[in-house]
């Protein structure tokens, strides 16, 4: 066997082993979930007198959802005299005026509501939270992003867990008010269901660390202070603070049966911006915190899970390497027995990159909707394709974090979409208030990868290698992510042209 072929094949195997490790971890999470499914946390006691809770609402140019959010907060089933509402507004558009008016209206209705407007966005969301926490009246802080629409009983379902003085955070599960808006939101819902129902539940109930999701949870203010407060040297300040607090000994509670509805991004560029921020931020936290976690007195199982959690997004670099290595392996003439090739390559790749993922997300649907989980099965191929299609976008985020490239906190556009019909016509008009991404580098690279894999699939079919062609089909997800981005860019340009002509 030529030396060049040995190098290609060895590199391919090493990348495959690395990716398989993360696939195996998904199966471990599924096992931990079902093992601990009945181990639901319960409050140690109930408050005789309810404590003061401050509801913190970070905002930046959220004019389409301000009213909906504040009305939901005003409808919370919690005594007015025990509730403070802080609107943390960093906006540069008409949102500030709306927030000021709404705060005044709430005060006239008997609520303790204040709008804290900043003209200096230092620290972005983390900076706003840090400043507001210093003046918050409540000992407990309920944080909600602008696109959330909490149920009226959500505070009462969480607050009594804090009768245990060691509890620093109670996190609820996200639900999705526009789940059925389009194909993208449907698949995003599957992704998030897997994260919340499987990962967060398994980690919490098995004694491992889990992290605050930035919203829809209540913090004990002293836990934030004890952990060093909100820091803004990463894009995922919630993850950063969570690990610091848990290493200080604070206990976290995850309630998978208490849901807080929110709006999912409805367009590809908004989804990419969100994923870029989450991916880059997690790598920044990894670089900042991982060695501290490993040196801490935390249990070994918590350290191992934190290591897997914080390094998971490096797998996008492996996925890009895999994309580059597939061609010489799939098209080469290696002198291995056909059965060995199938077992070590096709079967291994298919199981850990596809079957393990499907088991993970199907398990989440069975847990959430046991009577109708099978209705989500048709979306699994799209989930696999989208996961692969996001590789370029997220690998770019990983590389930016590695080299220390600084970037601002890019908000996820929210259009006030509620209900399954989505009010599409009105929402499309609202999109004119947001700018499409300026760079075309990512979608161009995605399109190039899509064309490359389409050619490879055709070539494999011509050669009669049907198995490899089928296993290669999820890589056509690059077309999905690229063409959706280009379509949105063209729509934005068309809208601007119409506005100029008008």
């Amino acid at each position: 066997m030529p030396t060049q072929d040995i190098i290609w094949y060895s590199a391919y195997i090493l990348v495959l082993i690395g990716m398989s490790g993360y696939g195996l971890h998904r199966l471990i999470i599924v096992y931990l979930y079902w093992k601990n499914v009945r181990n639901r946390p319960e409050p140690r006691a109930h408050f005789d007198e309810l404590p003061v809770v401050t509801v913190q609402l970070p905002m930046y140019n959220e004019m389409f959802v301000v009213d909906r959010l504040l009305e939901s907060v005003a409808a919370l089933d919690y005594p007015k005299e025990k509730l403070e509402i802080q609107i943390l507004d960093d906006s540069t558009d008409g949102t500030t005026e709306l927030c000021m008016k709404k705060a005044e209206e709430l005060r006239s209705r008997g609520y303790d509501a204040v709008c804290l407007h900043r003209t200096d966005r230092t620290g972005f969301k983390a900076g706003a939270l840090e400043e507001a926490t210093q003046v918050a009246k409540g000992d407990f802080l309920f944080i909600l992003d602008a696109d959330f629409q909490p149920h009226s009983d959500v505070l009462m379902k969480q607050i009594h867990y804090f009768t245990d003085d060691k509890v620093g955070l109670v996190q609820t599960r996200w639900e999705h008010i526009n789940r059925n808006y389009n194909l993208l939101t449907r698949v995003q819902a599957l992704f998030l269901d897997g994260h919340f129902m499987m990962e967060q539940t398994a980690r919490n109930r098995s004694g491992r660390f889990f992290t605050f999701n930035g919203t829809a949870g209540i913090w004990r203010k002293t836990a934030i202070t004890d952990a060093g407060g909100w820091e803004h040297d990463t894009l995922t300040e919630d993850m950063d603070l969570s690990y610091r607090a848990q290493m200080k000994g604070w206990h976290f509670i995850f309630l998978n049966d208490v849901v807080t509805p929110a709006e999912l991004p409805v367009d590809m560029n908004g989804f990419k911006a969100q994923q870029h921020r989450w991916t880059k931020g997690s790598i920044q936290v990894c670089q900042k915190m991982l060695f501290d976690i490993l040196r801490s007195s935390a249990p070994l199982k918590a350290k191992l899970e934190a290591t897997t959690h914080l390094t998971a997004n490096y797998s996008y670099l492996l996925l890009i390497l895999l994309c580059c290595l597939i061609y010489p392996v799939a098209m080469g003439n290696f002198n291995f027995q056909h059965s060995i090739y199938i077992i070590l390559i096709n079967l291994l790749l298919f199981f850990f990159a596809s079957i393990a993922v499907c088991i993970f997300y199907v398990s989440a649907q069975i847990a959430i909707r046991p009577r109708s989980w099978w209705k989500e099965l048709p979306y699994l191929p799209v989930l696999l394709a989208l996961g692969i299609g996001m590789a370029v976008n997220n690998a770019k985020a990983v590389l930016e974090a590695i080299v220390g490239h600084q970037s601002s906190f890019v908000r996820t556009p929210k259009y006030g979409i509620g209900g399954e019909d989505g009010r599409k016509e009105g929402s499309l008009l609202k999109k004119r208030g947001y700018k499409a991404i300026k760079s075309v580098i990512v979608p161009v690279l995605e399109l190039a990868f899509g064309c490359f894999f389409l050619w490879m699939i055709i070539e494999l079919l011509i050669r009669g290698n049907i198995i490899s062609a089928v296993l290669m089909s999820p890589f056509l997800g690059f077309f999905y992510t690229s063409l959706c981005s280009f379509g949105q860019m063209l729509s934005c340009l068309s809208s601007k042209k119409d506005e100029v002509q008008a």
Side-chain angles (χ1 to χ4, degrees):
M1 188 177 181
T3 302
Q4 182 178 353
D5 286 350
I6 293 176
I7 293 174
W8 281 115
Y9 191 77
S10 299
Y12 182 79
I13 289 295
L14 289 175
V15 169
L16 190 60
I17 290 172
M19 294 186 65
S20 298
Y22 291 105
L24 176 62
H25 176 255
R26 290 182 184 271
L27 297 180
I28 294 173
I29 289 292
V30 171
Y31 166 75
L32 289 174
Y33 171 83
W34 292 112
K35 179 183 178 182
N36 296 282
V37 67
R38 299 185 183 277
N39 186 25
R40 187 191 187 281
E42 295 292 342
R44 174 172 293 185
H46 283 70
F47 286 109
D48 294 328
E49 181 179 352
L50 290 173
V52 175
V53 174
T54 297
V55 183
Q56 296 183 319
L57 310 173
M59 292 194 188
Y60 176 66
N61 297 350
E62 311 285 8
M63 63 174 63
F64 302 136
V65 293
V66 169
D67 190 72
R68 182 183 72 183
L69 170 65
L70 290 172
E71 283 301 317
S72 296
V73 172
L76 290 173
D77 183 17
Y78 206 79
K80 285 184 181 180
E81 67 274 12
K82 298 290 187 178
L83 194 66
E84 179 191 23
I85 301 173
Q86 286 185 335
I87 305 171
L88 317 182
D89 178 55
D90 284 3
S91 301
T92 57
D93 65 358
T95 303
T96 300
E97 183 179 355
L98 293 174
C99 289
M100 293 292 186
K101 289 183 177 179
K102 196 65 182 179
E104 184 178 354
E105 177 194 330
L106 289 174
R107 286 193 294 270
S108 70
R109 291 158 56 183
Y111 291 93
D112 183 1
V114 60
C115 179
L116 305 176
H117 177 66
R118 299 195 311 165
T119 55
D120 179 4
R121 292 190 68 209
T122 299
F124 306 106
K125 180 180 176 180
L129 287 169
E130 180 65 17
E131 289 187 20
T133 298
Q134 302 300 320
V135 296
K137 298 176 182 178
D139 292 326
F140 302 97
L141 310 173
F142 184 35
I143 301 173
L144 288 169
D145 282 349
D147 55 319
F148 278 72
Q149 196 172 354
H151 294 306
S152 61
D153 60 352
V154 67
L155 276 181
M156 294 301 294
K157 288 183 175 180
Q158 297 179 79
I159 194 64
H160 295 291
Y161 287 89
F162 289 101
T163 53
D164 183 345
D165 292 337
K166 295 182 179 179
V167 172
L169 168 77
V170 178
Q171 171 76 57
T172 64
R173 177 166 62 87
W174 295 3
E175 193 47 82
H176 323 292
I177 58 179
N178 61 333
R179 182 187 192 98
N180 297 328
Y181 180 85
N182 59 22
L183 181 61
L184 179 61
T185 57
R186 195 74 183 244
V187 177
Q188 285 181 74
L190 293 179
F191 278 124
L192 289 172
D193 286 347
H195 167 67
F196 280 96
M197 184 55 75
M198 290 288 109
E199 289 182 304
Q200 296 291 68
T201 304
R203 288 167 179 156
N204 184 219
R205 297 188 184 182
S206 64
R208 290 158 170 82
F209 289 163
F210 82 93
T211 58
F212 176 51
N213 291 104
T215 177
I218 303 178
W219 276 93
R220 188 188 296 270
K221 186 160 62 175
T222 53
I224 295 176
T225 304
D226 185 47
W230 293 102
E231 297 180 357
H232 50 83
D233 51 350
T234 74
L235 291 177
T236 48
E237 69 291 324
D238 46 1
M239 182 182 292
D240 176 21
L241 178 60
S242 295
Y243 278 115
R244 285 187 279 118
Q246 287 172 107
M247 285 193 295
K248 283 282 189 176
W250 291 100
H251 295 174
F252 286 8
I253 302 292
F254 179 69
L255 303 177
N256 64 11
D257 56 351
V258 179
V259 299
T260 307
E263 180 182 329
L264 294 165
V266 299
D267 57 69
M268 184 59 72
N269 289 340
F271 177 61
K272 284 182 176 179
Q274 181 191 70
Q275 294 300 306
H276 184 278
R277 186 179 75 246
W278 289 355
T279 301
K280 183 174 181 177
S282 70
I283 298 300
Q284 290 173 329
V285 174
C286 178
Q287 294 172 326
K288 175 182 177 179
M289 298 295 301
L290 183 56
F291 288 113
D292 290 337
I293 294 171
L294 294 177
R295 289 193 295 262
S296 72
S297 59
L300 178 61
K301 61 182 180 181
K303 293 180 180 180
L304 293 176
E305 179 60 32
T307 301
T308 306
H309 181 206
L310 290 174
T311 61
N313 283 321
Y314 284 112
S315 64
Y316 286 108
L317 297 182
L318 295 178
L319 183 54
I320 292 296
L321 285 175
L322 183 67
C323 291
C324 298
L325 293 168
I326 279 181
Y327 173 77
V329 172
M331 300 300 183
N333 296 312
F334 297 107
N335 295 321
F336 287 100
Q337 295 180 4
H338 185 67
S339 60
I340 296 178
Y341 174 79
I342 291 295
I343 293 173
L344 294 181
I345 305 301
N346 286 344
L347 187 58
L348 193 62
L349 176 61
F350 182 69
F351 182 79
F352 285 106
S354 300
I355 299 299
V357 172
C358 291
I359 292 173
F360 178 83
Y361 289 107
V362 168
S363 295
Q365 295 308 307
I366 292 174
I368 294 173
R369 42 187 63 84
R371 296 183 179 180
S372 60
W373 62 270
W374 51 273
K375 293 181 181 180
E376 305 299 324
L377 293 180
Y379 298 98
L380 287 177
V382 184
L383 182 147
L384 294 173
L386 180 60
I388 292 175
M390 291 298 293
V392 175
N393 181 79
N394 292 353
K396 176 176 176 288
V398 173
L399 290 174
E400 287 182 5
I402 291 174
V403 301
H405 173 73
Q406 297 298 314
S407 57
S408 61
F409 186 102
V410 180
R411 61 179 292 280
T412 305
K414 296 110 181 176
Y415 305 121
I417 298 172
E420 295 188 354
D421 61 352
R423 299 201 303 262
K424 292 187 179 182
E425 184 177 352
S427 298
L428 288 173
L429 292 175
K430 291 177 181 179
K431 290 183 185 180
R432 296 182 181 181
Y434 300 109
K435 296 180 180 179
I437 58 175
K438 297 179 179 180
S439 175
V440 297
I441 295 176
V442 169
V444 166
L445 288 175
E446 291 168 344
L447 183 61
F449 271 118
C451 292
F452 170 69
F453 282 105
L454 178 60
W455 172 79
M456 274 196 64
I457 289 171
I458 294 172
E459 182 69 19
L460 288 168
L461 290 173
I462 292 173
R463 294 188 180 192
N465 195 341
I466 298 175
I467 294 178
S468 294
V470 170
L471 296 180
M472 207 80 71
S473 59
F475 287 86
L476 296 179
F478 286 114
F479 279 126
Y480 181 35
T481 54
S482 63
L483 295 180
C484 284
S485 289
F486 282 126
Q488 187 178 343
M489 290 178 187
L490 292 175
S491 177
C492 182
L493 291 174
S494 177
S495 296
K496 288 181 178 179
K497 182 178 179 180
D498 291 343
E499 290 173 2
V500 170
Q501 291 176 349

